[in-house]
Amino acid sequence: MTTVRAGTLADAEMVVELWATSADPTRLPSDTGAVARLLERDADALLIAESESVVVGTVIVGWDGWRAHLYRMAVRPDHRREGIGRLLLEAADRHARALGARRLDALVHDGNEVGVAFWAGHGFVRDAEDRRWTRPL
């Protein structure tokens, strides 16, 4: 049985491994230090899907005061099509609503066909007007 809970520092290695093997594509690989900093700043931001003590999925719920940003949605390939993404999205939705969010934004690389299909299948639409601009630090 898969459960969803807030991530902890003890999950960091499994989370980084999951992102390296199941979250594609990304320009910014992660490490356990980054997970630790995330949890230090916002202990409830990282949601973990766990099955038999193994991290099988994640999503990060960022919050800017009025909307929630969903990052690093990832599900292990051998656990896809089991409803884990839906469970994570439902938990992220509850968390965002509790914070007072009025909108959910999912960050998805255009080349991520699996991700694009997931988000589109759950009612998300690509906003061509509200483009995201980035600058590496």
Side-chain angles (χ1 to χ4, degrees):
M1 176 172 178
T2 301
T3 57
V4 176
R5 61 174 175 78
T8 68
L9 191 53
D11 300 312
E13 285 187 33
M14 280 194 283
V15 166
V16 170
E17 180 182 337
L18 174 80
W19 290 344
T21 61
S22 306
D24 192 41
T26 183
R27 291 176 297 216
L28 295 172
S30 194
D31 57 45
T32 57
V35 174
R37 289 187 298 278
L38 168 68
L39 294 173
E40 182 179 302
R41 183 181 175 283
D42 185 350
D44 296 323
L46 176 61
L47 299 178
I48 299 288
E50 181 179 62
S51 180
E52 298 179 14
S53 301
V54 175
V55 173
V56 295
T58 65
V59 67
I60 295 173
V61 183
W63 168 243
D64 70 8
W66 70 278
R67 64 188 160 197
H69 302 276
L70 305 179
Y71 309 84
R72 299 283 180 155
M73 170 67 86
V75 175
R76 280 179 41 160
D78 60 333
H79 284 272
R80 291 185 183 155
R81 310 297 300 166
E82 295 177 9
I84 293 169
R86 179 186 46 79
L87 289 174
L88 285 163
L89 179 55
E90 289 170 353
D93 183 276
R94 285 190 303 273
H95 182 62
R97 287 176 188 271
L99 292 169
R102 299 186 338 218
R103 185 171 90 193
L104 292 176
D105 291 341
L107 297 181
V108 187
H109 188 282
D110 285 340
N112 182 346
E113 293 178 12
V114 171
V116 168
F118 173 83
W119 294 107
H122 287 85
F124 286 72
V125 293
R126 188 172 187 274
D127 185 344
E129 292 178 23
D130 195 13
R131 311 283 284 179
R132 182 167 304 275
W133 294 75
T134 66
R135 182 183 77 184
L137 298 177

